[in-house]
Amino acid sequence: MIIDGVVVLYEPREEELGNIFEYASLLNKLFVIDNSCSSNVGLIARLKSVTNISVVEMGQNAGIAKALRIGLDMAMSDGADFCLTMDQDSVFPVESMRDIKNILLSEDIDDYGIIGLNVNNEISGDGLSETKTLITSGNFINIKNYRLINGFREELFIDSVDFDLDHQFYEIGKKIAVICNISIKHKIGNPQKRRLPGFKTISISNHAPVRCYYRYRNNYVLYHEDKHFYKDIYDYDKKQLIKILLFEKHRLAKLKMIRLAKKHAKKKKLGKLQINDEDR
């Protein structure tokens, strides 16, 4: 069994390089797609010095969807059976790789499109548990089944690229599951806690305004393509909007971007954010 990996970089920090080196040694090949706008010659040179790491320098932020698509194409060309997708700041449980491989060798593995890890240990239980959606980081994509779908959707650029891929596997009847007892550490947004009256604490994501744009634009489009599949995500976004308005910083800027997101979504204006005169 050949397991390759893809990690997408965007202006990475030094400490994130250590995470990458740790799990790179567990893979047949790791394809590093650098979406950074500025060049970090020293960092890239260190990655290139590792024999099983191949680096693709995009020279711009081409979007996570395109970067992942390039990485998966390289894994397919390499003859991989599975491809691990990672965010640059995620911490992979290297000590669990043997157990992961045993699961990927299961007789019924062809029934699955993705086997993912338990993000931040949020799911209780043991063994495999079927789920509808998984985020990108910590996923082992079944290459045999990936060949049956369209792959990462470049027009989404960033945000909800993972949910769209989940939906593509759902459409062809392939299952998605999480390994409950193996967890990956991953940070979503810039999470903060807020204490409410009565000592109740809530968590807010605190994404930048531009990320609010992409999330709300893409999820609006996806929801109107399949309201049944994306209903939970659509409802979650409505709850997050309340949190943004009540608790987050830069709420006016975020609200402006969310309004623009809906406007562009209705026009099917996707890809990288472009603001023209009529949007100002």
Side-chain angles (χ1 to χ4, degrees):
M1 179 174 60
I2 298 174
I3 303 176
D4 286 346
V6 176
V7 58
V8 180
L9 302 185
Y10 182 74
E11 312 295 352
R13 299 186 300 271
E14 180 70 25
E15 59 266 27
E16 292 164 345
L17 215 60
N19 295 337
I20 294 171
F21 286 141
E22 284 206 358
Y23 61 79
S25 63
L26 306 174
L27 303 170
N28 179 60
K29 288 185 180 178
L30 176 63
F31 303 107
V32 178
I33 317 299
D34 186 12
N35 256 349
S36 301
C37 297
S38 58
S39 178
N40 190 325
V41 177
L43 185 149
I44 295 299
R46 288 173 60 192
L47 288 167
K48 288 181 176 179
S49 70
V50 180
T51 54
N52 72 325
I53 291 181
S54 295
V55 180
V56 176
E57 296 178 75
M58 303 295 285
Q60 61 174 327
N61 183 5
I64 194 169
K66 183 170 185 176
L68 287 168
R69 191 178 187 92
I70 289 171
L72 264 293
D73 285 347
M74 295 174 76
M76 287 191 288
S77 297
D78 188 48
D81 299 296
F82 289 90
C83 185
L84 169 67
T85 55
M86 292 287 290
D87 285 357
Q88 65 185 24
D89 57 352
S90 297
V91 181
F92 186 85
V94 294
E95 70 284 353
S96 299
M97 192 61 175
R98 178 176 294 181
D99 294 331
I100 294 169
K101 286 182 177 179
N102 288 336
I103 291 172
L104 298 182
L105 287 169
S106 301
E107 291 183 3
D108 64 343
I109 201 64
D110 284 348
D111 295 338
Y112 294 88
I114 305 174
I115 301 293
L117 303 184
N118 190 350
V119 178
N120 300 326
N121 210 25
E122 292 179 351
I123 300 173
S124 59
D126 195 19
L128 281 182
S129 176
E130 288 186 36
T131 185
K132 189 162 70 172
T133 57
L134 289 171
I135 65 171
T136 299
S137 201
N139 284 347
F140 289 86
I141 297 176
N142 187 328
I143 295 294
K144 180 178 179 180
N145 291 329
Y146 182 80
R147 292 179 183 275
L148 303 177
I149 62 176
N150 292 326
F152 290 100
R153 190 168 165 181
E154 292 185 34
E155 62 183 358
L156 296 179
F157 197 71
I158 56 174
D159 280 305
S160 303
V161 170
D162 38 18
F163 298 149
D164 175 71
L165 194 75
D166 298 333
H167 180 257
Q168 290 185 50
F169 281 121
Y170 167 81
E171 288 276 89
I172 65 169
K174 296 301 179 182
K175 296 184 285 189
I176 291 173
V178 59
I179 307 174
C180 298
N181 55 312
I182 301 179
S183 182
I184 185 171
K185 293 180 182 178
H186 175 75
K187 187 174 75 169
I188 300 175
N190 299 291
Q192 295 178 352
K193 299 290 185 180
R194 289 286 186 272
R195 188 176 295 277
L196 303 180
F199 302 103
K200 182 179 179 180
T201 300
I202 64 168
S203 177
I204 59 174
S205 299
N206 211 31
H207 286 291
V210 69
R211 292 298 299 273
C212 292
Y213 168 83
Y214 284 114
R215 179 180 180 89
Y216 280 85
R217 184 197 70 181
N218 292 346
N219 285 349
Y220 184 94
V221 169
L222 295 176
Y223 174 71
H224 285 85
E225 290 177 354
D226 189 336
K227 292 183 179 181
H228 172 72
F229 185 85
Y230 292 107
K231 184 181 185 303
D232 291 344
I233 293 170
Y234 191 73
D235 290 344
Y236 177 83
D237 280 351
K238 289 192 289 187
K239 293 178 181 177
Q240 287 300 111
L241 179 57
I242 295 172
K243 288 184 179 181
I244 289 172
L245 294 175
L246 293 179
F247 304 111
E248 294 194 7
K249 299 177 181 178
H250 312 300
R251 63 195 71 174
L252 292 179
K254 293 176 184 180
L255 182 59
K256 181 179 179 181
M257 294 305 284
I258 291 170
R259 285 175 175 166
L260 181 61
K262 189 173 182 179
K263 179 181 179 180
H264 284 179
K266 288 180 176 180
K267 294 181 178 180
K268 294 293 180 70
K269 184 179 178 180
L270 302 177
K272 189 173 184 179
L273 172 60
Q274 301 287 340
I275 300 178
N276 54 32
D277 290 340
E278 67 177 25
D279 293 327
R280 297 184 191 279

